[in-house]
Coordinates of all heavy atoms in Angstrom, one line a residue:
M135 N 31.2 192.0 -120.4 CA 31.7 192.9 -121.4 C 32.7 192.2 -122.3 O 32.6 192.4 -123.5 CB 32.4 194.0 -120.6 CG 33.0 195.1 -121.5 SD 31.7 195.9 -122.4 CE 32.6 197.1 -123.3
R136 N 33.5 191.3 -121.8 CA 34.4 190.6 -122.6 C 33.8 189.6 -123.5 O 34.2 189.5 -124.7 CB 35.4 189.8 -121.6 CG 36.7 189.5 -122.2 CD 37.6 189.1 -121.1 NE 38.5 188.1 -121.5 CZ 39.3 187.4 -120.8 NH1 39.3 187.6 -119.5 NH2 40.1 186.5 -121.2
S137 N 32.7 188.9 -123.1 CA 32.0 188.0 -124.0 C 31.3 188.8 -125.1 O 31.1 188.3 -126.2 CB 31.1 187.1 -123.2 OG 30.1 187.9 -122.5
L138 N 30.8 190.0 -124.7 CA 30.1 190.8 -125.8 C 31.1 191.2 -126.8 O 30.8 191.1 -128.0 CB 29.5 192.0 -125.1 CG 28.8 193.0 -126.1 CD1 27.6 192.3 -126.8 CD2 28.3 194.2 -125.3
L139 N 32.3 191.6 -126.5 CA 33.3 192.0 -127.4 C 33.7 190.8 -128.3 O 33.8 190.9 -129.5 CB 34.5 192.5 -126.7 CG 35.6 193.0 -127.6 CD1 35.2 194.2 -128.5 CD2 36.8 193.5 -126.7
S140 N 33.8 189.6 -127.7 CA 34.2 188.4 -128.4 C 33.1 188.1 -129.4 O 33.4 187.7 -130.5 CB 34.4 187.2 -127.5 OG 35.4 187.5 -126.6
L141 N 31.8 188.2 -129.0 CA 30.7 187.9 -129.9 C 30.7 188.9 -131.1 O 30.4 188.5 -132.2 CB 29.4 188.0 -129.1 CG 28.1 187.7 -129.9 CD1 28.1 186.3 -130.3 CD2 26.9 188.0 -129.0
L142 N 31.0 190.2 -130.8 CA 31.0 191.2 -131.9 C 32.1 190.9 -132.9 O 32.0 191.0 -134.1 CB 31.2 192.6 -131.3 CG 30.0 193.2 -130.6 CD1 30.3 194.5 -130.0 CD2 28.9 193.3 -131.6
V143 N 33.3 190.5 -132.4 CA 34.4 190.1 -133.3 C 34.1 188.9 -134.1 O 34.3 188.9 -135.3 CB 35.7 189.9 -132.5 CG1 36.8 189.3 -133.3 CG2 36.2 191.2 -131.8
V144 N 33.5 187.9 -133.5 CA 33.1 186.7 -134.3 C 32.1 187.1 -135.3 O 32.2 186.6 -136.5 CB 32.6 185.6 -133.3 CG1 31.9 184.5 -134.1 CG2 33.8 185.1 -132.5
A145 N 31.1 187.9 -135.0 CA 30.0 188.3 -135.9 C 30.6 189.1 -137.1 O 30.3 188.9 -138.2 CB 29.0 189.1 -135.2
W146 N 31.6 190.0 -136.7 CA 32.3 190.8 -137.8 C 33.0 189.9 -138.8 O 32.9 190.0 -140.0 CB 33.3 191.7 -137.1 CG 34.0 192.6 -138.0 CD1 35.1 192.3 -138.7 CD2 33.7 194.0 -138.2 NE1 35.5 193.4 -139.4 CE2 34.7 194.5 -139.1 CE3 32.7 194.8 -137.8 CZ2 34.7 195.8 -139.6 CZ3 32.7 196.1 -138.2 CH2 33.7 196.6 -139.1
L147 N 33.7 188.9 -138.3 CA 34.5 188.0 -139.1 C 33.5 187.1 -139.9 O 33.8 186.8 -141.1 CB 35.5 187.1 -138.3 CG 36.6 188.0 -137.7 CD1 37.4 187.1 -136.8 CD2 37.4 188.7 -138.7
V148 N 32.4 186.6 -139.3 CA 31.5 185.8 -140.1 C 30.9 186.6 -141.3 O 30.7 186.1 -142.4 CB 30.4 185.3 -139.1 CG1 29.2 184.7 -139.9 CG2 30.9 184.2 -138.2
I149 N 30.5 187.9 -141.0 CA 30.0 188.7 -142.1 C 31.1 188.8 -143.2 O 30.8 188.8 -144.4 CB 29.6 190.1 -141.6 CG1 28.3 189.9 -140.7 CG2 29.3 191.0 -142.7 CD1 27.9 191.1 -139.9
G150 N 32.4 189.0 -142.8 CA 33.4 189.0 -143.8 C 33.6 187.8 -144.6 O 33.8 187.8 -145.8
V151 N 33.4 186.6 -144.0 CA 33.4 185.3 -144.7 C 32.3 185.2 -145.7 O 32.5 184.8 -146.8 CB 33.4 184.1 -143.7 CG1 33.2 182.8 -144.4 CG2 34.8 184.1 -142.9
I152 N 31.1 185.7 -145.3 CA 30.0 185.7 -146.1 C 30.2 186.6 -147.4 O 29.9 186.2 -148.5 CB 28.7 186.1 -145.4 CG1 28.3 185.1 -144.4 CG2 27.5 186.4 -146.4 CD1 27.2 185.5 -143.4
A153 N 30.8 187.7 -147.2 CA 31.2 188.6 -148.3 C 32.2 187.9 -149.2 O 32.1 188.0 -150.5 CB 31.7 189.9 -147.8
A154 N 33.2 187.3 -148.7 CA 34.2 186.6 -149.5 C 33.5 185.5 -150.3 O 33.9 185.3 -151.5 CB 35.3 186.0 -148.6
V155 N 32.6 184.7 -149.7 CA 31.9 183.6 -150.4 C 31.1 184.2 -151.6 O 31.1 183.7 -152.7 CB 31.0 182.8 -149.5 CG1 30.1 181.9 -150.2 CG2 31.9 182.0 -148.5
Q156 N 30.4 185.3 -151.3 CA 29.6 186.0 -152.3 C 30.4 186.5 -153.5 O 30.0 186.5 -154.6 CB 28.8 187.1 -151.7 CG 27.7 186.6 -150.9 CD 26.9 187.8 -150.2 OE1 27.4 188.9 -150.1 NE2 25.7 187.5 -149.7
R157 N 31.7 186.9 -153.2 CA 32.6 187.3 -154.3 C 33.3 186.2 -155.0 O 34.0 186.4 -155.9 CB 33.6 188.3 -153.7 CG 33.0 189.6 -153.3 CD 34.0 190.6 -152.7 NE 33.3 191.8 -152.3 CZ 33.8 192.8 -151.7 NH1 35.1 192.7 -151.4 NH2 33.1 193.8 -151.4
G158 N 33.0 185.0 -154.5 CA 33.6 183.8 -155.2 C 35.1 183.5 -154.9 O 35.8 182.9 -155.7
Y159 N 35.5 184.0 -153.8 CA 36.9 183.8 -153.4 C 37.3 182.3 -153.0 O 38.4 182.0 -152.9 CB 37.4 184.7 -152.3 CG 37.5 186.2 -152.7 CD1 37.3 187.2 -151.8 CD2 37.7 186.5 -154.0 CE1 37.5 188.5 -152.1 CE2 37.8 187.9 -154.4 CZ 37.7 188.8 -153.4 OH 37.8 190.2 -153.8
F160 N 36.3 181.5 -152.8 CA 36.5 180.2 -152.3 C 36.2 179.1 -153.4 O 36.0 178.0 -153.1 CB 35.8 179.9 -151.0 CG 36.2 180.7 -149.9 CD1 35.3 181.7 -149.3 CD2 37.4 180.6 -149.3 CE1 35.7 182.5 -148.3 CE2 37.8 181.4 -148.3 CZ 37.0 182.3 -147.7
G161 N 36.1 179.5 -154.6 CA 35.7 178.6 -155.7 C 36.9 177.7 -156.0 O 38.0 178.0 -155.8
D162 N 36.5 176.5 -156.6 CA 37.6 175.6 -157.0 C 38.4 176.1 -158.2 O 39.6 175.6 -158.3 CB 36.9 174.2 -157.5 CG 36.3 173.5 -156.3 OD1 36.8 173.7 -155.1 OD2 35.4 172.7 -156.5
D163 N 37.9 177.0 -159.0 CA 38.7 177.5 -160.1 C 39.6 178.6 -159.8 O 40.2 179.2 -160.6 CB 37.7 177.9 -161.2 CG 36.8 179.0 -160.8 OD1 36.6 179.2 -159.6 OD2 36.2 179.6 -161.7
Q164 N 39.6 179.0 -158.5 CA 40.4 180.1 -158.0 C 41.9 179.8 -158.0 O 42.3 178.8 -157.4 CB 39.9 180.5 -156.6 CG 40.1 181.9 -156.1 CD 39.7 183.0 -157.0 OE1 40.1 183.1 -158.1 NE2 38.8 183.8 -156.4
E165 N 42.7 180.6 -158.6 CA 44.1 180.5 -158.6 C 44.6 180.9 -157.2 O 44.3 182.0 -156.8 CB 44.7 181.3 -159.7 CG 46.2 181.4 -159.7 CD 46.7 182.4 -160.7 OE1 46.1 182.5 -161.8 OE2 47.7 183.1 -160.4
V166 N 45.5 180.1 -156.6 CA 46.0 180.5 -155.3 C 47.3 181.3 -155.5 O 48.3 180.8 -156.1 CB 46.3 179.3 -154.4 CG1 46.9 179.7 -153.1 CG2 45.0 178.5 -154.2
S167 N 47.3 182.5 -155.1 CA 48.5 183.4 -155.2 C 48.5 184.4 -154.1 O 47.5 184.4 -153.3 CB 48.5 184.1 -156.6 OG 47.4 185.1 -156.6
C168 N 49.5 185.2 -154.0 CA 49.6 186.2 -152.9 C 48.4 187.1 -153.1 O 47.8 187.5 -152.1 CB 50.9 186.9 -153.1 SG 51.1 188.3 -152.0
K169 N 48.1 187.5 -154.3 CA 47.0 188.5 -154.5 C 45.7 187.9 -154.1 O 44.9 188.6 -153.4 CB 47.0 188.9 -156.0 CG 45.9 189.9 -156.2 CD 45.9 190.4 -157.6 CE 44.8 191.4 -158.0 NZ 43.9 191.8 -157.0
T170 N 45.3 186.7 -154.5 CA 44.0 186.1 -154.1 C 43.9 185.9 -152.6 O 42.9 186.1 -152.0 CB 43.7 184.9 -155.0 OG1 44.7 183.9 -154.7 CG2 43.6 185.2 -156.4
A171 N 45.0 185.4 -152.1 CA 45.0 185.1 -150.6 C 44.9 186.4 -149.8 O 44.1 186.5 -148.9 CB 46.3 184.4 -150.2
G172 N 45.6 187.5 -150.3 CA 45.5 188.8 -149.6 C 44.1 189.4 -149.8 O 43.6 190.0 -148.8
D173 N 43.5 189.3 -151.0 CA 42.2 189.9 -151.2 C 41.2 189.2 -150.3 O 40.3 189.8 -149.7 CB 41.8 189.7 -152.7 CG 42.5 190.7 -153.6 OD1 43.2 191.6 -153.1 OD2 42.4 190.5 -154.8
T174 N 41.3 187.9 -150.2 CA 40.4 187.1 -149.4 C 40.5 187.5 -147.9 O 39.5 187.7 -147.3 CB 40.6 185.6 -149.6 OG1 40.5 185.3 -151.0 CG2 39.6 184.8 -148.8
A175 N 41.7 187.5 -147.4 CA 42.0 187.9 -146.0 C 41.4 189.3 -145.7 O 40.8 189.5 -144.7 CB 43.4 187.8 -145.7
L176 N 41.7 190.3 -146.6 CA 41.2 191.6 -146.4 C 39.7 191.7 -146.4 O 39.1 192.5 -145.7 CB 41.8 192.6 -147.5 CG 43.3 193.0 -147.2 CD1 43.8 193.8 -148.4 CD2 43.4 193.8 -145.9
T177 N 39.1 191.0 -147.3 CA 37.6 191.0 -147.4 C 37.1 190.5 -146.1 O 36.1 191.0 -145.5 CB 37.1 190.1 -148.6 OG1 37.7 190.7 -149.8 CG2 35.6 190.1 -148.6
I178 N 37.6 189.4 -145.5 CA 37.2 188.8 -144.3 C 37.4 189.8 -143.1 O 36.5 190.1 -142.3 CB 37.8 187.5 -144.0 CG1 37.4 186.5 -145.0 CG2 37.6 187.0 -142.6 CD1 38.1 185.1 -145.0
V179 N 38.5 190.5 -143.1 CA 38.8 191.4 -142.0 C 37.9 192.7 -142.1 O 37.5 193.2 -141.1 CB 40.3 191.8 -142.0 CG1 40.6 192.9 -141.0 CG2 41.1 190.5 -141.6
A180 N 37.6 193.1 -143.3 CA 36.8 194.3 -143.5 C 35.4 194.0 -143.0 O 34.7 195.0 -142.7 CB 36.8 194.7 -145.0
G181 N 34.9 192.8 -143.0 CA 33.6 192.4 -142.4 C 32.5 193.2 -143.0 O 32.3 193.3 -144.3
P182 N 31.6 193.8 -142.2 CA 30.5 194.6 -142.7 C 30.8 195.7 -143.6 O 29.9 196.2 -144.3 CB 29.8 195.0 -141.4 CG 30.3 194.2 -140.3 CD 31.7 193.8 -140.8
L183 N 32.0 196.2 -143.6 CA 32.4 197.4 -144.4 C 32.3 197.0 -145.9 O 32.1 197.9 -146.7 CB 33.8 197.8 -144.1 CG 34.1 198.4 -142.7 CD1 35.5 198.7 -142.5 CD2 33.2 199.6 -142.4
N184 N 32.3 195.7 -146.2 CA 32.2 195.2 -147.6 C 30.8 195.7 -148.1 O 30.7 196.0 -149.3 CB 32.3 193.7 -147.7 CG 33.7 193.2 -147.4 OD1 34.6 193.5 -148.2 ND2 33.9 192.6 -146.3
Y185 N 29.8 195.7 -147.3 CA 28.5 196.1 -147.7 C 28.3 197.6 -147.7 O 27.2 198.1 -148.1 CB 27.4 195.4 -146.9 CG 27.5 193.9 -147.0 CD1 28.1 193.1 -146.0 CD2 27.1 193.3 -148.2 CE1 28.3 191.7 -146.2 CE2 27.2 191.9 -148.4 CZ 27.8 191.1 -147.3 OH 28.0 189.8 -147.5
A186 N 29.3 198.3 -147.3 CA 29.2 199.8 -147.3 C 30.0 200.3 -148.5 O 30.3 201.5 -148.6 CB 29.7 200.4 -146.0
G187 N 30.4 199.4 -149.4 CA 31.2 199.9 -150.6 C 32.7 199.6 -150.6 O 33.4 199.9 -151.5
V188 N 33.2 199.1 -149.5 CA 34.6 198.9 -149.4 C 34.9 197.6 -150.2 O 34.2 196.6 -150.1 CB 35.1 198.7 -147.9 CG1 36.5 198.2 -147.8 CG2 34.8 199.9 -147.1
N189 N 35.9 197.7 -151.1 CA 36.3 196.5 -151.8 C 37.8 196.4 -151.7 O 38.5 196.8 -152.6 CB 35.9 196.7 -153.3 CG 36.1 195.4 -154.1 OD1 36.4 194.4 -153.5 ND2 36.0 195.5 -155.4
P190 N 38.3 195.8 -150.6 CA 39.7 195.8 -150.4 C 40.5 194.9 -151.4 O 40.0 193.8 -151.8 CB 39.9 195.2 -149.0 CG 38.6 194.4 -148.8 CD 37.6 195.1 -149.6
K191 N 41.6 195.4 -151.9 CA 42.4 194.7 -152.8 C 43.9 194.9 -152.3 O 44.2 195.8 -151.7 CB 42.3 195.3 -154.2 CG 40.9 195.1 -154.8 CD 40.7 193.7 -155.2 CE 39.3 193.5 -155.8 NZ 38.9 192.2 -156.0
I192 N 44.7 193.9 -152.7 CA 46.1 194.0 -152.3 C 46.9 193.8 -153.6 O 46.5 193.1 -154.5 CB 46.4 192.9 -151.3 CG1 47.8 193.1 -150.7 CG2 46.3 191.5 -151.8 CD1 48.1 192.2 -149.5
E193 N 48.1 194.4 -153.6 CA 49.0 194.2 -154.7 C 50.3 193.5 -154.1 O 50.8 194.0 -153.1 CB 49.4 195.5 -155.4 CG 48.2 196.1 -156.2 CD 48.6 197.3 -157.0 OE1 49.8 197.3 -157.4 OE2 47.8 198.1 -157.2
C194 N 50.7 192.5 -154.7 CA 51.9 191.7 -154.2 C 53.0 191.9 -155.1 O 52.9 191.9 -156.3 CB 51.6 190.2 -154.1 SG 50.3 189.9 -152.9
E195 N 54.2 192.1 -154.5 CA 55.4 192.1 -155.3 C 55.8 190.7 -155.6 O 55.4 189.7 -154.9 CB 56.5 192.8 -154.5 CG 56.2 194.2 -154.1 CD 56.2 195.1 -155.3 OE1 57.0 194.9 -156.2 OE2 55.4 196.1 -155.4
E196 N 56.6 190.5 -156.6 CA 57.1 189.2 -156.9 C 58.0 188.7 -155.8 O 58.9 189.4 -155.4 CB 57.8 189.1 -158.2 CG 56.9 189.3 -159.4 CD 56.0 188.1 -159.6 OE1 56.4 187.0 -159.4 OE2 54.8 188.4 -159.9
I197 N 57.8 187.5 -155.3 CA 58.6 187.0 -154.2 C 59.8 186.4 -154.9 O 59.7 185.5 -155.8 CB 57.8 186.0 -153.4 CG1 56.6 186.6 -152.8 CG2 58.7 185.3 -152.3 CD1 55.7 185.6 -152.1
P198 N 61.0 186.8 -154.4 CA 62.2 186.2 -155.0 C 62.4 184.7 -154.7 O 62.0 184.3 -153.6 CB 63.4 187.0 -154.4 CG 62.8 187.7 -153.2 CD 61.3 187.7 -153.4
E199 N 62.9 184.0 -155.7 CA 63.1 182.6 -155.5 C 64.4 182.4 -154.8 O 65.4 183.1 -154.9 CB 63.2 181.9 -156.9 CG 61.9 181.9 -157.7 CD 60.8 181.1 -157.1 OE1 61.1 180.0 -156.6 OE2 59.7 181.6 -157.1
P200 N 64.5 181.3 -153.9 CA 65.7 181.1 -153.2 C 66.8 180.7 -154.2 O 66.6 180.0 -155.2 CB 65.4 180.0 -152.2 CG 64.1 179.4 -152.8 CD 63.5 180.4 -153.6
S201 N 68.0 181.0 -153.9 CA 69.2 180.6 -154.7 C 69.4 179.1 -154.5 O 69.1 178.5 -153.5 CB 70.4 181.4 -154.4 OG 70.8 181.2 -153.0
E202 N 70.0 178.5 -155.6 CA 70.3 177.1 -155.5 C 71.7 176.8 -155.1 O 72.6 177.5 -155.4 CB 69.9 176.5 -156.8 CG 68.5 176.5 -157.1 CD 68.1 175.9 -158.5 OE1 68.9 175.1 -159.0 OE2 67.0 176.2 -158.9

């Protein structure tokens, strides 16, 4: 039972990675920011739900700079 659950989790995440690749989240021209990293992570976690119309997006607040 445990190995079946592990297999399902891995398959879910692999489908999420495939969806992220299809959306172009891993391209060289991609700007790395909180928003793009969050969108990519949510797409991977959403897995097969991406093909059911889910398009997860994240909004990031500006991160304050440390004082000098």
Side-chain angles (χ1 to χ4, degrees):
M135 180 67 176
R136 204 163 144 191
S137 62
L138 178 63
L139 183 61
S140 298
L141 182 63
L142 287 175
V143 169
V144 169
W146 183 278
L147 294 175
V148 166
I149 293 170
V151 169
I152 292 168
V155 168
Q156 289 176 340
R157 291 183 180 172
Y159 289 156
F160 297 113
D162 289 335
D163 61 340
Q164 203 53 300
E165 174 187 323
V166 178
S167 67
C168 173
K169 181 176 177 4
T170 57
D173 288 346
T174 303
L176 282 176
T177 298
I178 292 170
V179 170
L183 297 177
N184 289 292
Y185 298 103
V188 174
N189 189 10
K191 297 287 181 186
I192 191 169
E193 290 188 29
C194 296
E195 299 292 324
E196 288 296 318
I197 299 172
E199 296 292 322
S201 59
E202 293 181 19

